[in-house]
Amino acid sequence: MKRFALLGLPNTGKSTVFNRLTGMSQRVGNWPGLTVELTSARLLLGGKMVELVDLPGVNDLTGYSDDEAVVRDVLMSTAFDAAILVLNAAQLDRQLPLALQVLASGIPAVVVLNMADEARLLGITLDLDVLRQRLGVPVVLVSAKRMEGWPALMEALNRQAASAATASHAQLDRVPETQDAIMQARAKLAACWNLPAVLPEGMTEKVDAWLMHSWLGLPLFFACMAVLFNLTYQIGTPLQGLVGDGLDWFKTAALQQWLAPLPAIVQSLLLEGVWQGVSTVLTFAPILFVFFILMAMVEDSGYLARAAYLTDAFMAKLGLDGRGFVMQLMGFGCNVPAILGTRVMRERKQRLLTMLIIPFSLCSARLQVVVFFAGILFTPQQAPWVLLLLYLLSFVVAIFTAWVFKHRYRGNEAFLLEVPPYRLPGMRHMLIRAVAEVRAFLELASSFILMGVVLVWLVSHIPAGDNKTLADVLGTVMAPVLDPIGIKHELAVALLVGFVAKEILLGGLAVIYGVPEAGLGAALLHHLDWASAMSFLIFTLVYVPCLSTVAAIRRESKSRAFTALSVGWSVLLAWLISFAFYQGVHLLR
Amino acid sequence: MLSLDKFPPGCKGVVDSLDLSDEAFRRVAAFGLIPGSHFNLTRCAPFGGPLVLEVGSTRFLLRRSLASLIQVRVAE
């Protein structure tokens, strides 16, 4: 089988080209020998099977960024038959240097000049034949979005795949340095690629006059985020409900009957353990799917760069960049997609710092718990203010975390981000991407969450003598930690349940007090005093949001140590804040 | 000659020199900002936020802290 690499700068429509060529057949997987995930797909070109590997977008083959290192590692460790180089035809002045670096490395290449439509609109003139001659490789002009120039591209690719040459490793020592490559590119482009002296003013400038306005920009940004946020839940939550109902129906209509012949303890393990885990993971799928579609819209339309522009002043002080703010806000809906969404940040340290603060966003599952507690502990007049205070608490904790860790995960000051012209996102492209993302998440989370749910089941069902279970023992063992923050021993297992998912926390509490969920409020008031109930609530808000978030952090950081840090830090903070609150209340009394 | 963060928005300029580390220089160069290149400073975000620059047909944002290390002059 032949192997082709897809290379290009960020924002050149490289993944659109990839999707157009491969469709739904793509898969995300670990690259052998390296700890990176790459998307690849197989397609038939020139009568041969070709594996096309989508490499991360890079500016410079000799650069220091994480993505640049990944591309170098892959090119060095793997032999490729050809590179497909995707460049933005409207920006050849800054994009051709990368092409020259790739050509110098000795890998046969096909140069694809994408965004022909935008170049035309800008009045750019291009002599394709001269450029082809000067580069000595096939050059085609396309618009991947409109499938313009596609026959020529397919012909070039077919010819490349049919060639008898054997695959070769890139010779990176032959790659020219940045400045040399820029000078060479200038010479190659002289008199064959021309930008008009004055660029025509288009839609983008008119829209930006509003969206990037000095004082209207931010309110419009928050309005956009509010719409986005609402759409995610207006569309996602009913879908989530449907999936949940479907799964429940399956459980009562089929599963329970099938399992009926089994001993009660096995039934309980399968239903309350395994099945609970499966359904927890599956109910995430609709919301993730909707989120990825909407996020792709924000990113592909070019708005994300505007959002970064507007919020960067504030985020830079926290050691973050403007894109982190968008993710932090999305976290208020659900932390899991927000963590996965940090992928738009290509710098590892920035991503890690952002991933560290997202779990403090008060997500909709925790909101349920907060609303419930606020409802029983406070009067209807007080409750909304308590809710607001808790939202503020989550912001303060996030900012504090960023402040503590900003030196450790210091981002690069040399933060540059392209502000692309506004583009209509392609529907097909978004769908393909969302499906791939959701699938990749489910594959990982299923095993992770299943383990967690089964563990909780075991703890609360394994007998430990005296009519007690491990859960009771756990409460006693944890007493030195729980007593100073006023959390009753029987709630230790509730915290464990909340660790798996906040959605099942209230149900867990009802089981602990042996009441139906409707009677939970009264039961809690009976068993807990005001201060310890609030302390429990604060702890619930600040510590680990759920196992799915932990799974997402593990997947995205690819580091156990970082995942442990994230979990440990949030538990520690939760304990400290609850401690300060509970002891403070006692001092005041 | 003045540093880019002091450059008047809406004006065109030429890069004189970049006092940057090798790594930062590569990043900036990837957006076409090298000595002698022409640019257009299109806007500046409020509260000390980033600048938006246009080099050729590429528009991008960069932080003021980085801009202060880039010496430029107004284009005639």
Side-chain angles (χ1 to χ4, degrees):
Chain A
M1 191 171 58
K2 299 240 170 190
R3 191 180 273 137
F4 282 16
L6 190 63
L7 277 162
L9 278 84
N11 278 319
T12 47
K14 193 166 63 69
S15 42
T16 312
V17 171
F18 185 74
N19 286 340
R20 288 284 190 209
L21 287 172
T22 63
M24 297 295 279
S25 66
Q26 49 187 265
R27 52 178 294 276
V28 183
N30 270 324
W31 195 248
L34 300 172
T35 52
V36 290
E37 271 183 347
L38 295 175
T39 312
S40 63
R42 287 173 189 183
L43 68 163
L44 205 61
L45 288 173
K48 301 243 172 77
M49 205 40 135
V50 175
E51 184 186 27
L52 181 61
V53 186
D54 189 12
L55 295 179
V58 290
N59 291 320
D60 182 347
L61 269 194
T62 61
Y64 302 105
S65 78
D66 302 327
D67 282 342
E68 284 158 348
V70 165
V71 169
R72 272 200 302 271
D73 288 348
V74 173
L75 288 182
M76 271 198 299
S77 67
T78 317
F80 282 95
D81 295 279
I84 305 177
L85 261 160
V86 184
L87 308 178
N88 180 345
Q91 302 179 347
L92 279 191
D93 47 348
R94 75 176 187 100
Q95 305 215 339
L96 200 66
L98 177 74
L100 294 176
Q101 288 181 325
V102 174
L103 292 181
S105 79
I107 302 180
V110 174
V111 174
V112 181
L113 306 181
N114 192 18
M115 305 195 174
D117 48 339
E118 282 181 17
R120 206 162 41 227
L121 274 179
L122 287 169
I124 288 167
T125 55
L126 169 67
D127 192 329
L128 218 50
D129 289 325
V130 173
L131 190 62
R132 212 172 273 146
Q133 240 167 34
R134 288 183 184 171
L135 294 180
V137 294
V139 180
V140 287
L141 182 66
V142 305
S143 160
K145 203 162 77 190
R146 305 172 174 214
M147 295 280 270
E148 219 179 275
W150 223 248
L153 170 64
M154 292 315 291
E155 196 199 315
L157 293 182
N158 284 330
R159 200 174 307 138
Q160 198 71 50
S163 95
T166 49
S168 58
H169 284 82
Q171 286 169 296
L172 293 175
D173 49 328
R174 290 205 207 155
V175 168
E177 280 292 314
T178 316
Q179 205 142 12
D180 294 341
I182 294 174
M183 291 308 152
Q184 289 173 23
R186 267 194 198 171
K188 304 267 187 213
L189 290 176
C192 86
W193 181 87
N194 292 301
L195 200 65
V198 180
L199 293 174
E201 185 157 314
M203 259 279 290
T204 295
E205 287 74 17
K206 287 182 191 124
V207 176
D208 275 342
W210 289 93
L211 293 184
M212 294 174 92
H213 191 275
S214 334
W215 55 271
L216 277 177
L218 269 179
L220 284 172
F221 163 72
F222 283 108
C224 282
M225 290 314 292
V227 169
L228 194 72
F229 197 80
N230 275 307
L231 274 177
T232 313
Y233 297 96
Q234 298 293 337
I235 306 171
T237 314
L239 282 177
Q240 206 168 17
L242 274 179
V243 172
D245 290 347
L247 291 167
D248 279 347
W249 174 84
F250 180 73
K251 180 179 162 186
T252 44
L255 213 53
Q256 281 175 343
Q257 266 92 50
W258 294 342
L259 298 179
L262 296 172
I265 186 91
V266 179
Q267 269 191 52
S268 163
L269 170 65
L270 290 176
L271 285 175
E272 286 152 41
V274 178
W275 182 251
Q276 176 74 53
V278 170
S279 31
T280 309
V281 179
L282 282 181
T283 46
F284 268 104
I287 223 142
L288 281 177
F289 182 76
V290 175
F291 171 84
F292 277 113
I293 296 263
L294 292 172
M295 225 27 240
M297 272 163 77
V298 172
E299 207 189 331
D300 295 352
S301 68
Y303 188 66
L304 191 65
R306 274 81 184 174
Y309 168 82
L310 293 164
T311 55
D312 193 66
F314 172 66
M315 295 304 272
K317 290 193 182 72
L318 300 177
L320 293 159
D321 75 47
R323 290 165 297 177
F325 197 72
V326 176
M327 294 310 142
Q328 176 77 9
L329 283 181
M330 289 316 294
F332 281 93
C334 177
N335 293 175
V336 174
I339 297 271
L340 301 182
T342 57
R343 234 174 282 168
V344 294
M345 278 171 265
R346 297 307 315 186
E347 209 199 20
R348 183 167 166 83
K349 285 183 176 174
Q350 284 284 285
R351 281 196 69 191
L352 292 182
L353 189 57
T354 311
M355 277 194 251
L356 210 51
I357 64 163
I358 285 173
F360 297 111
S361 291
L362 204 166
C363 68
S364 59
R366 276 175 285 185
L367 188 63
Q368 273 179 23
V369 180
V370 175
V371 168
F372 179 81
F373 270 79
I376 59 166
L377 295 174
F378 298 94
T379 65
Q381 285 77 35
Q382 292 167 327
W385 297 102
V386 173
L387 195 60
L388 187 70
L389 270 178
L390 290 169
Y391 265 110
L392 273 179
L393 175 72
S394 83
F395 253 113
V396 170
V397 172
I399 290 173
F400 175 70
T401 300
W403 179 79
V404 168
F405 286 95
K406 80 172 177 186
H407 296 291
R408 179 159 177 188
Y409 297 109
R410 181 157 211 91
N412 202 309
E413 272 300 300
F415 168 57
L416 291 104
L417 186 67
E418 189 183 352
V419 181
Y422 287 107
R423 294 175 179 135
L424 263 185
M427 201 58 211
R428 198 179 115 88
H429 175 59
M430 289 192 300
L431 283 176
I432 291 177
R433 203 170 119 177
V435 169
E437 298 282 6
V438 172
R439 194 164 50 195
F441 175 74
L442 292 184
E443 275 167 17
L444 172 105
S446 47
S447 56
F448 207 87
I449 291 171
L450 211 62
M451 259 166 33
V453 176
V454 171
L455 196 75
V456 169
W457 181 89
L458 287 176
V459 167
S460 47
H461 285 79
I462 289 183
D466 286 351
N467 234 347
K468 285 181 169 173
T469 63
L470 264 187
D472 302 316
V473 178
L474 186 79
T476 323
V477 172
M478 299 289 286
V481 187
L482 295 179
D483 288 341
I485 58 173
I487 293 181
K488 293 269 175 67
H489 299 174
E490 69 262 24
L491 291 181
V493 73
L495 290 176
L496 207 58
V497 170
F499 181 79
V500 172
K502 296 288 178 290
E503 286 90 341
I504 53 177
L505 181 78
L506 293 178
L509 282 175
V511 173
I512 288 169
Y513 289 116
V515 291
E517 256 186 79
L520 182 58
L524 283 178
L525 282 179
H526 178 70
H527 288 280
L528 303 175
D529 66 274
W530 181 85
S532 58
M534 268 310 276
S535 178
F536 177 79
L537 181 58
I538 291 172
F539 195 94
T540 305
L541 278 194
V542 180
Y543 86 129
V544 188
C546 62
L547 254 182
S548 302
T549 305
V550 178
I553 293 175
R554 170 81 182 84
R555 174 181 146 85
E556 295 303 313
S557 69
K558 297 184 181 66
S559 156
R560 267 178 214 171
F562 178 80
T563 314
L565 170 75
S566 163
V567 172
W569 170 252
S570 71
V571 173
L572 176 72
L573 265 187
W575 191 86
L576 288 175
I577 298 172
S578 293
F579 178 79
F581 172 82
Y582 189 71
Q583 297 299 332
V585 169
H586 272 255
L587 280 179
L588 290 176
R589 272 182 182 171
Chain B
M1 210 165 78
L2 69 171
S3 63
L4 182 56
D5 59 324
K6 309 267 174 5
F7 197 79
C11 288
K12 291 183 165 102
V14 184
V15 178
D16 261 320
S17 62
L18 303 105
D19 180 22
L20 301 173
S21 69
D22 189 30
E23 181 179 3
F25 175 77
R26 278 168 214 264
R27 288 191 184 218
V28 176
F31 284 87
L33 219 54
I34 51 172
S37 59
H38 287 248
F39 65 87
N40 184 0
L41 180 63
T42 46
R43 55 180 81 237
C44 300
F47 313 114
L51 315 173
V52 178
L53 245 66
E54 218 172 60
V55 177
S57 68
T58 309
R59 199 173 299 147
F60 59 96
L61 59 84
L62 86 168
R63 286 186 176 158
R64 273 177 225 243
S65 51
L66 185 65
S68 67
L69 303 174
I70 302 174
Q71 300 297 318
V72 296
R73 63 192 141 84
V74 178
E76 283 87 54

